[in-house]
Each structure stands twice: as structure tokens, then as C-alpha cells.
Amino acid sequence: MTERAPLTLYGRAWCHLCDDMRAALEPLLAEFGAQVEVVDVDSDPLLEARYNELVPVLLCDGVELCHYHLDESRVRAALMARAKAASAATR
């Protein structure tokens, strides 16, 4: 079984802020060996209703970290905490 991506980016195909956040995430993904699942809110009426004007919205394990612009320090802290928890679980 493959592990689910820790980060979820809710956005839109035509959203420049979504493109910007995705690009800004790349160095962090590389640094932590993390993955991001990109979800188009327009593909689901419930997601569209929930995140419509907030996109892009970035979550880590279901917890919202930021919207509109990447909060690098908050994302870094979440990924570090996740890495520590994973490390402790394997001991």
C-alpha cells in the first residue's frame, strides 16, 4: 500500500495563484521528499462551495496551512513535525 501524499493543494486549472503556490512548494517537496496531491475544486460541487474564493488552499494531513500564498515557515514546520513523528514511529 502506498502512503497518501501528506499535502493537498486545492485549486483551479486557470488560477495563477494556484500555479504560483505549486511552484513555491517545489523546493520544500524536494527538501522533505514529500508529495502533494493537487485537487481541482471545480471537479466537485462540495469542494467548490467550500474553497471557492479561498483557492489555492494547502493542507497537511487535513489541517489547513495557508491559502492564497504559500506560508513557507508553516509548511516547513508541518513537514518537519510529520517527519519526526514518522521517525519516532519506526523506532
Side-chain angles (χ1 to χ4, degrees):
M1 184 166 109
T2 58
E3 185 178 349
R4 195 168 161 253
L7 298 173
T8 305
L9 177 61
Y10 291 103
R12 292 191 156 94
W14 49 268
C15 169
H16 76 280
L17 289 176
C18 301
D19 294 338
D20 292 348
M21 185 178 287
R22 194 168 180 184
L25 261 177
E26 288 300 322
L28 289 171
L29 297 175
E31 179 181 341
F32 288 93
Q35 296 181 339
V36 63
E37 176 185 4
V38 179
V39 179
D40 186 340
V41 298
D42 293 325
S43 67
D44 181 327
L46 293 175
L47 291 176
E48 184 179 13
R50 182 171 181 182
Y51 296 115
N52 189 32
E53 295 298 321
L54 290 177
V55 297
V57 180
L58 184 67
L59 286 77
C60 182
D61 294 324
V63 176
E64 184 179 322
L65 299 179
C66 51
H67 61 269
Y68 301 136
H69 302 285
L70 183 71
D71 183 338
E72 184 177 341
S73 61
R74 191 153 185 218
V75 174
R76 182 178 298 280
L79 290 173
M80 288 176 85
R82 193 173 199 282
K84 284 182 183 178
S87 176
T90 59
R91 291 183 188 179

